[in-house]
Amino acid sequence: MRFRNSLRHLMLAGVLILGAAGFSDAEAAAYASRTLDVTPVKTEVRQISGIVYEQVPSRGYANTALQLDLLQPQKKTKMPAIVYVTGGGFINANRDNGVQLRNYLAEKGYVVASITYRVAPTARFPEPLEDVKASIRYLRANADKWNIDKDRIGIIGGSAGGYLAAFAGTTSGTTTFDKGENLQESSRVSCAVDLYGLSDLTRVGMDYSPEVQKLHQSAGATEALWVNGSSVFGGKDGGIQADPEAAAKANPITYIGKNSAPMLLMHGTADTVVSPGQTDLLYQALKAKGIEAERYLIPGARHGGVYWVQDNVLDVIGSFFDRYLMR
């Protein structure tokens, strides 16, 4: 109260000074400062960029540092964490993506880690999934440093990132793809969100024209490079069907089991990159195995874009995470 009264006195003094300088009362009032009363309701969020979460070999390099950027709400209590896995068609992984989604989750009280991972053609499955698992283990190993509750970690991704998030969810509670650093920690997730991701790499174009489906069967399709690698550098020649066993092993739908995490799947009806049927395949398989799952179709939404940053979409995602991570 004393501070507020002092502020009013300063404002009045400013008006008097202006009046003394020859300004009219109306002119002095126009130059006066205003008071803005603020009640803090939001949590401050800070970003820590370029954190190395693992170091791995990559073609041409004996050691490559993989990094994450962390959004950290400024709270004293331990907070749940969410790993954000960007898409990129299996051939790039720009962790700068998903800004509005990541900020939304951070402002809700989640520590959000956006990661870079290895991509085709210099890497092939399961190396990128090993990276995702390593990022989860890193957060657990450094939970005290980043103020994270290591028992409450979820994951979300879109497109190729949705596929990897779904993979982390279906293989949760297993050590099949745990490789690298911090192996004393678990890569388990409490829940997973898959936004327009792939679940069966042999049927990516399943809802599209025969011409598009044929393109997805070519050796140049990125899902083929993801699984087969480059034939010039020791990979297998041909499309995704060249090695059916390897393709099946690279599908998250293959690994659904009793430890699989609850999952939210969302897809746009106007997606022309990944068939909307891809998330339905995974959704039906999860339900058939008794795993908690829900799926939303968004009419008119494409593969990423403006629909995916709208409040009602973000609220569905946030409510799902709250259900499994906030307590």
Side-chain angles (χ1 to χ4, degrees):
M1 181 65 72
R2 184 178 300 171
F3 173 77
R4 185 171 293 181
N5 287 336
S6 298
L7 181 62
R8 290 197 180 105
H9 291 155
L10 287 170
M11 293 168 59
L12 179 59
V15 173
L16 292 174
I17 290 170
L18 289 168
F23 288 91
S24 68
D25 289 346
E27 289 173 326
Y31 282 92
S33 299
R34 298 178 181 180
T35 300
L36 180 64
D37 290 324
V38 176
T39 302
V41 294
K42 280 189 171 184
T43 301
E44 180 187 3
V45 177
R46 295 179 184 175
Q47 176 166 309
I48 305 97
S49 301
I51 301 168
V52 176
Y53 72 86
E54 72 167 341
Q55 300 184 78
V56 294
S58 182
R59 180 168 182 83
Y61 301 92
N63 190 69
T64 301
L66 294 183
Q67 299 179 335
L68 61 80
D69 295 339
L70 206 67
L71 294 179
Q72 185 185 47
Q74 298 302 290
K75 291 185 176 182
K76 294 181 179 180
T77 56
K78 291 287 184 73
M79 295 168 284
I82 296 171
V83 174
Y84 170 78
V85 190
T86 184
F90 294 141
I91 55 176
N92 61 67
N94 184 355
R95 68 180 187 274
D96 290 342
N97 293 332
V99 172
Q100 287 163 284
L101 170 61
R102 290 189 284 129
N103 284 338
Y104 168 82
L105 293 171
E107 288 189 356
K108 283 177 65 65
Y110 293 101
V111 178
V112 182
S114 181
I115 70 168
T116 299
Y117 54 89
R118 286 173 285 181
V119 295
T122 55
R124 69 171 99 170
F125 182 85
E127 290 170 335
L129 178 58
E130 292 168 0
D131 298 338
V132 172
K133 298 270 190 175
S135 72
I136 298 166
R137 296 196 308 272
Y138 170 86
L139 294 181
R140 283 203 166 92
N142 293 273
D144 290 339
K145 181 177 182 179
W146 303 121
N147 208 22
I148 291 170
D149 181 345
K150 63 194 300 181
D151 293 325
R152 294 186 289 160
I153 296 179
I155 190 166
I156 184 170
S159 191
Y163 157 91
L164 287 167
F167 231 127
T170 58
T171 61
S172 182
T174 71
T175 59
T176 306
F177 298 103
D178 281 309
K179 182 179 179 181
E181 301 172 22
N182 299 307
L183 290 173
Q184 77 280 6
E185 298 289 349
S186 169
S187 60
R188 180 184 64 83
V189 293
S190 297
C191 56
V193 177
D194 172 0
L195 307 178
Y196 44 88
L198 309 88
S199 58
D200 183 346
L201 299 185
T202 67
R203 302 174 63 190
V204 177
M206 59 187 288
D207 299 321
Y208 304 144
S209 67
E211 292 76 17
V212 171
Q213 292 185 39
K214 185 177 180 180
L215 291 175
H216 279 286
Q217 299 303 315
S218 73
T222 54
E223 61 265 31
L225 296 174
W226 182 259
V227 174
N228 301 332
S230 169
S231 59
V232 175
F233 295 106
K236 196 176 188 69
D237 193 18
I240 190 64
Q241 299 284 7
D243 189 339
E245 183 178 352
K249 288 181 178 179
N251 290 333
I253 201 168
T254 301
Y255 297 87
I256 300 171
K258 63 179 182 179
N259 293 318
S260 295
M263 201 173 299
L264 167 66
L265 304 105
M266 304 181 80
H267 219 128
T269 61
D271 193 326
T272 58
V273 178
V274 173
S275 295
Q278 284 284 299
T279 50
D280 190 51
L281 287 175
L282 183 54
Y283 172 68
Q284 298 298 337
L286 289 165
K287 297 294 283 186
K289 292 290 182 69
I291 305 301
E292 294 181 57
E294 53 188 276
R295 179 175 181 261
Y296 287 82
L297 282 174
I298 301 178
R302 295 184 176 275
H303 196 75
V306 67
Y307 280 81
W308 297 98
V309 298
Q310 302 309 308
D311 287 344
N312 53 345
V313 174
L314 297 177
D315 288 344
V316 167
I317 295 169
S319 295
F320 178 81
F321 278 127
D322 288 350
R323 191 185 320 158
Y324 295 101
L325 297 179
M326 287 292 187
R327 59 174 184 270

